[in-house]
């Protein structure tokens, strides 16, 4: 899928995905496929650059629910918009620590906290991750898409 910047392109994508191709109704079942234009909404680039408002997308989902169908997929798109905003605020609060090996827990990640982890480096696992061969479909799809871009 080719992405063109700007509000006009963003609005065209919303119209195409939700109304023309009628893909909103199956979003929940297809969202983790990642590869190809019909998997997931692909609204992220426009949302990230302010070309598309999350409120507009939510309003379009609500309109779709009134005019076509209300289901898990329509709920999930709005839920993930909220989740996206939560993580943006989380990142502002915690800064670069979200990228550290021990994350935002810092020293608490070493056994004191219920989410603590023991880290190891297995080169085979690292290579499988890089090549999109972890066995976790969402992770693998993302890594393959990253490698192809």
């Amino acid at each position: 899928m080719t992405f063109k910047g700007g509000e006009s392109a963003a609005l065209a994508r919303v119209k195409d995905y939700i109304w023309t191709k009628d893909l909103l109704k199956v979003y929940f079942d297809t969202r983790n496929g990642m590869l190809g234009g019909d998997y997931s909404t692909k609204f992220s680039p426009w949302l990230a650059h302010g070309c598309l408002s999350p409120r507009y997308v939510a309003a379009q989902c609500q309109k779709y629910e009134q005019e076509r169908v209300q289901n898990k997929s329509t709920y999930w798109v709005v839920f993930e918009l909220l989740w996206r905003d939560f993580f943006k605020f989380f990142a502002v609060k915690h800064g670069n620590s979200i990228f550290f090996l021990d994350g935002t827990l810092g020293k608490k990640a070493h056994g004191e906290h219920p989410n603590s982890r023991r880290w190891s480096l297995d080169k085979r696992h690292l290579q499988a991750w890089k090549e999109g061969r972890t066995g976790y479909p969402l992770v693998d799809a993302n890594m393959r898409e990253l490698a192809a871009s």
Side-chain angles (χ1 to χ4, degrees):
M1 177 174 177
T2 303
F3 290 95
K4 182 178 177 188
E7 182 184 30
S8 297
L11 296 175
R13 172 60 185 176
V14 171
K15 181 181 177 190
D16 185 57
Y17 183 85
I18 294 177
W19 300 105
T20 305
K21 292 183 177 176
D22 201 24
L23 294 171
L24 180 56
K25 67 184 175 192
V26 295
Y27 170 78
F28 184 83
D29 298 319
T30 61
R31 74 191 193 287
N32 292 337
M34 296 297 188
L35 298 175
D38 291 344
Y39 292 103
S40 193
T41 63
K42 305 292 189 203
F43 298 157
S44 292
W46 294 290
L47 288 164
H49 290 284
C51 303
L52 183 61
S53 162
R55 287 184 181 188
Y56 178 78
V57 175
Q60 289 297 298
C61 289
Q62 186 176 31
K63 182 179 176 185
Y64 183 91
E65 289 176 333
Q66 293 167 352
E67 295 181 15
R68 296 200 181 166
V69 66
Q70 179 179 2
N71 63 16
K72 185 166 35 174
S73 291
T74 58
Y75 166 83
W76 212 252
V77 168
V78 175
F79 174 80
E80 288 185 345
L81 286 171
L82 294 169
W83 199 236
R84 175 187 167 274
D85 278 355
F86 167 79
F87 275 106
K88 285 179 78 170
F89 286 113
F90 186 86
V92 168
K93 177 181 178 181
H94 294 285
N96 288 341
S97 69
I98 64 174
F99 301 108
F100 296 167
L101 182 61
D102 295 327
T104 59
L105 293 176
K107 291 183 181 183
K108 291 181 184 176
H110 297 281
E112 299 174 24
H113 194 276
N115 290 337
S116 64
R117 300 280 188 266
R118 276 190 160 253
W119 293 99
S120 64
L121 179 61
D122 182 324
K123 291 183 181 183
R124 294 170 300 159
H125 292 153
L126 179 61
Q127 193 60 36
W129 174 71
K130 288 178 180 180
E131 295 171 3
R133 298 183 295 104
T134 66
Y136 293 93
L138 179 61
V139 172
D140 292 346
N142 278 288
M143 293 307 291
R144 289 191 304 268
E145 188 170 26
L146 184 61
S149 64

